[in-house]
């Protein structure tokens, strides 16, 4: 899977941060970047289409086309 290290927002192993979708992420998890818009998305809100990561908004737009 993807390297999940390097998330900002703290330095201790127990530190937590929130994704823009509201998912609670530990410092060891990193947000992913949407291939289409470049926006951040986490494992909770990201969609994999044809081996590519998309945020919810871009996924909706791509599937509606």
């Amino acid at each position: 899977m993807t390297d999940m290290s390097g998330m900002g927002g703290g330095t201790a192993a127990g530190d937590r941060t929130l994704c823009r979708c509201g998912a609670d992420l530990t410092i060891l998890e990193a947000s992913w970047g949407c291939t289409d818009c470049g926006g951040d998305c986490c494992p909770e809100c990201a969609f994999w289409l044809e081996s590519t990561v998309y945020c919810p908004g871009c996924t909706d737009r791509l599937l509606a086309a």
Side-chain angles (χ1 to χ4, degrees):
M1 199 151 203
T2 303
D3 180 7
M4 299 294 287
S5 62
M7 181 69 172
T11 57
D15 285 351
R16 295 179 117 32
T17 190
L18 291 178
C19 174
R20 68 180 178 168
C21 73
D24 189 27
L25 302 173
T26 67
I27 191 68
L28 299 176
E29 296 174 310
S31 59
W32 299 345
C34 174
T35 302
D36 197 43
C37 73
D40 291 336
C41 47
C42 71
E44 293 293 322
C45 67
F47 291 92
W48 286 87
L49 297 172
E50 298 180 7
S51 301
T52 307
V53 175
Y54 294 98
C55 70
C58 289
T59 301
D60 290 344
R61 187 176 45 76
L62 290 169
L63 293 178

